[in-house]
Amino acid sequence: MNLFRNVLFWIVLALVGALVAQLLVLDPGYVLVRYGGNDYTTNVPKAIALLVVAIALLWVVWKLATLPFVAMRRHRARQSRARLIDGFDAVHRGEWSRAEKLLEQAAQEPDALAVGRIGAARAAWARGDEAAARAHLSAIGTANPASRAIADAEFAMTQGRASDALSILDAPSATPLPPRGLVLRGEALASLGRSGEAYGTLGALRQQQALSDERLGALEAQWAAASLREAADANVLADRWEALPKPLRNDPATVAAYAERAAAMRWDEAAAKSIEQALDARWDESLAALYGRLPVNRYEHRRATAERWLQAHPASPALLLTLARLTRAQGQWPQSEQYLHRALAQGANSEAWEELGDGFVIGGEEKLARHCYANALRAARGEATQPLPGRDMRQTIFDQAVVEERDAHGVPRLRE
């Protein structure tokens, strides 16, 4: 298409030139130039030719006169590019002082001012010279305000000054923020306890492809859980929970955040129901353990639900611990003790030992309680625990025995 336009342009130009030449041949005209008391006469074609030659001579003279300056500018530009390349290579290699020097020199060229100074500032920051880093950023001035704002915000975030970072990114001169700025703004909001607002930036982050899908998914789950924990009242909590996509409402961390916040607000039914729905959709040991730790009542309902789950997950240490806590809360210590022994036999951690010790304290068996607490410390440190005295072989076998789990096709499931 460009070739066609160029050919058409030259054809039209040739036709116009031929037309003008024909007119000049028919009537060459008359040109009189009077200068310094002398008269110079000629016709129009010769005058045009002389004018063209004069302009060409002036252009050649101008090019020759400016040639040294052009060569110098090109030399400086080549040097600046070379210093930028070497400077960023030095940053990659961790040669901070050399990188800072090269990038500062490269920033002397106006086109490389922002990128060179920002790179030099990062090199100075990496070697621990905060004053030099700030000086480099100040040297940018008003050029590339968004890039400078991102660098300033990054340094503020590394120092834990999320409020300053947010102020920098929200400045009118920095808008509209590029993708990196949007990510930093979301991180600053989350650090300030405003995860609900951070969650609201995910749409823009996805639209601008600021992060990978995996990273965005992780941030979505993280900010969703944090926004639920930060909910000021039950209405805000309910609104945020209902606004979440269905996969997040089954995510263990998000469900745990909602359940714990709802329980803190004495919203017992919502707290328990959220965990029940999540576990019915997908089993998770952490949620099974949380179900027994929730500071809510509804003991009969929770115990009945946990016993129903136990039929499908008889070897779950978290579920056995939950049943032990619920039965002890109902004043049924003997049954709670049985659940705890089974939980420990199935691989429960220090929480089960601590719960067993608490039960022995209430029963007045201080020696056994001390043994359990010592085992809780050993388990927390990753050390081997000591068997509880007084347990015979029959009881040990009973604790370890579980009903075989099978899938929908009747095939036994392997223990995890």
Side-chain angles (χ1 to χ4, degrees), residues 387-416:
L388 194 67
R391 303 287 295 176
D392 56 27
M393 183 63 69
R394 183 180 62 83
Q395 291 173 316
T396 302
I397 293 174
F398 175 79
D399 295 337
Q400 294 177 348
V402 294
V403 178
E404 186 177 61
E405 295 184 57
R406 295 178 177 268
D407 60 18
H409 303 287
V411 178
R413 287 194 180 98
L414 296 176
R415 294 278 300 275
E416 295 183 0

Side-chain angles (χ1 to χ4, degrees), residues 87-339:
F88 283 115
D89 183 60
V91 169
H92 177 67
R93 294 157 62 94
E95 299 171 351
W96 308 122
S97 297
R98 179 170 173 266
E100 181 183 359
K101 182 179 179 180
L102 288 169
L103 292 171
E104 183 179 5
Q105 290 173 347
Q108 301 306 314
E109 284 295 309
D111 292 342
L113 173 62
V115 66
R117 287 290 183 178
I118 290 173
R122 285 176 174 159
W125 191 272
R127 66 180 179 82
D129 193 342
E130 181 179 345
R134 296 194 179 282
H136 287 305
L137 293 179
S138 298
I140 298 175
T142 57
N144 295 283
S147 297
R148 178 181 173 179
I150 290 173
D152 276 330
E154 282 181 340
F155 294 153
M157 289 294 290
T158 59
Q159 292 182 319
R161 296 184 291 110
S163 179
D164 291 342
L166 186 61
S167 298
I168 293 167
L169 294 169
D170 283 344
S173 60
T175 55
L177 287 173
R180 176 58 182 154
L182 292 174
V183 173
L184 283 170
R185 188 174 183 275
E187 292 174 350
L189 287 169
S191 298
L192 292 171
R194 296 163 60 180
S195 298
E197 296 177 55
Y199 186 85
T201 66
L202 288 168
L205 293 178
R206 284 195 175 90
Q207 184 178 9
Q208 297 201 24
Q209 298 181 341
L211 296 168
S212 66
D213 291 341
E214 182 180 356
R215 177 61 178 151
L216 279 172
L219 281 180
E220 182 179 24
Q222 177 185 336
W223 290 347
S227 68
L228 293 171
R229 295 186 190 280
E230 295 165 4
D233 54 55
N235 290 330
V236 173
L237 180 64
D239 290 342
R240 290 181 178 178
W241 176 254
E242 292 299 326
L244 294 180
K246 188 174 181 180
L248 273 183
R249 280 187 281 174
N250 289 329
D251 177 71
T254 309
V255 173
Y258 174 76
E260 289 173 348
R261 188 60 180 149
M265 294 178 177
R266 309 309 306 165
W267 198 2
D268 295 357
E269 182 178 359
K273 186 177 180 180
S274 63
I275 296 179
E276 292 164 5
Q277 290 176 340
L279 288 177
D280 285 337
R282 183 180 63 186
W283 185 257
D284 181 81
E285 287 290 294
S286 64
L287 286 181
L290 177 61
Y291 193 66
R293 289 198 310 268
L294 283 178
V296 299
N297 295 320
R298 298 170 58 85
Y299 294 116
E300 286 293 339
H301 171 79
R302 285 196 287 162
R303 180 178 175 181
T305 304
E307 288 174 344
R308 174 174 61 83
W309 287 333
L310 189 62
Q311 297 176 8
H313 307 278
S316 169
L319 183 56
L320 290 166
L321 177 58
T322 286
L323 280 166
R325 284 172 168 152
L326 294 174
T327 51
R328 187 163 76 87
Q330 292 179 305
Q332 300 174 14
W333 167 241
Q335 191 166 0
S336 175
E337 183 182 359
Q338 290 181 8
Y339 281 129

Side-chain angles (χ1 to χ4, degrees), residues 330-354:
Q330 292 179 305
Q332 300 174 14
W333 167 241
Q335 191 166 0
S336 175
E337 183 182 359
Q338 290 181 8
Y339 281 129
L340 287 170
H341 287 303
R342 287 178 60 187
L344 290 168
Q346 302 306 321
N349 57 18
S350 60
E351 288 186 66
W353 282 112
E354 187 174 352

